[in-house]
Amino acid sequence: DVKVTQSSRYLVKRTGEKVFLECVQDMDHENMFWYRQDPGLGLRLIYFSYDVKMKEKGDIPEGYSVSREKKERFSLILESASTNQTSMYLCASNRGLNTDTQYFGPGTRLTVL
Amino acid sequence: GEDVEQSLFLSVREGDSSVINCTYTDSSSTYLYWYKQEPGAGLQLLTYIFSNMDMKQDQRLTVLLNKKDKHLSLRIADTQTGDSAIYFCAESGYGGATNKLIFGTGTLLAVQP
């Protein structure tokens, strides 16, 4: 069974703080993804990684950065959190095949005050 | 660019059939997916259909694909209160090693007892 875990289910931070969201998968997947989910907007891709130390911007990368130092771990970093980054953040992973579905973590609900 | 659209809300009575619709724009999509998100949880894959198929049935779920109209639907027979969730359709292009998915906005299915 594929397992994707995220470090926190709920997180409350203050404006200007640096925030780290961690994601770990245990299936040796090549690809990992970070999305944010907002009502009425569905899932929007922030960044993805197709290999260790490799990353590509998704549709909404502004205000975010990522780190993938090990294959199983993909971190999303908010350098200086802002209130408009209050959202649900979902991590996903899959194998490096064109047609492989993505497996999702449970999500982290981040509130920035 | 690619776009996937869904209606935002559907309400049905327990025991009735539910039909959730989705339209997409990328005609090169290889697979189309339906994901389910229960309250407070991540997304789980419900079913998928390969682009050269018209229909796929899996127990209470029936997926219909009209490739000409770029229309995808998910029918849930004998809908139960446990089916209440947000349903996302997603398309997968045949593009590179990362297998990015484009998600719709999600349809909230409310099942009335």
Side-chain angles (χ1 to χ4, degrees), chain B residues 70-110:
Chain B
K70 295 180 194 162
H71 182 265
L72 181 73
S73 68
L74 174 70
R75 179 177 181 270
I76 306 173
D78 187 25
T79 313
Q80 303 297 308
T81 53
D83 295 323
S84 293
I86 302 175
Y87 291 81
F88 291 92
C89 68
E91 61 170 347
S92 168
Y94 190 77
T98 53
N99 188 31
K100 284 168 38 176
L101 294 181
I102 309 297
F103 285 88
T105 52
T107 299
L108 174 62
L109 174 64

Side-chain angles (χ1 to χ4, degrees), chain A residues 9-25:
Chain A
R9 294 299 305 273
Y10 299 94
L11 211 51
V12 179
K13 295 291 182 181
R14 295 203 175 275
T15 302
E17 280 193 79
K18 190 168 185 175
V19 182
F20 292 87
L21 303 183
E22 305 283 341
C23 175
V24 177
Q25 49 92 5

Side-chain angles (χ1 to χ4, degrees), chain A residues 9 31 33 35 37 40-43 45 48 50 59 88 90 94-107, chain B residues 8 30-31 33 35 37 40-43 45 50 86 88 92-106:
Chain A
R9 294 299 305 273
N31 302 329
F33 307 80
Y35 296 88
Q37 180 184 6
L41 297 177
L43 272 70
L45 182 64
F48 61 94
Y50 50 90
D59 300 316
M88 169 73 95
L90 293 165
N94 69 0
R95 295 173 297 172
L97 300 175
N98 283 334
T99 53
D100 192 31
T101 188
Q102 294 180 16
Y103 297 89
F104 283 81
Chain B
L8 290 180
T30 311
Y31 280 92
Y33 301 90
Y35 281 85
Q37 184 183 34
L43 276 67
L45 179 68
F50 189 48
I86 302 175
F88 291 92
S92 168
Y94 190 77
T98 53
N99 188 31
K100 284 168 38 176
L101 294 181
I102 309 297
F103 285 88
T105 52

Side-chain angles (χ1 to χ4, degrees), chain B residues 40-87:
Chain B
L43 276 67
Q44 62 177 112
L45 179 68
L46 263 186
T47 187
Y48 64 93
I49 188 166
F50 189 48
S51 58
N52 69 352
M53 296 169 65
D54 297 324
M55 185 180 90
K56 180 179 179 182
Q57 186 141 8
D58 184 1
Q59 298 183 333
R60 291 191 298 122
L61 305 178
T62 304
V63 179
L64 295 177
L65 176 60
N66 181 328
K67 205 170 176 187
K68 175 175 163 288
D69 293 339
K70 295 180 194 162
H71 182 265
L72 181 73
S73 68
L74 174 70
R75 179 177 181 270
I76 306 173
D78 187 25
T79 313
Q80 303 297 308
T81 53
D83 295 323
S84 293
I86 302 175
Y87 291 81

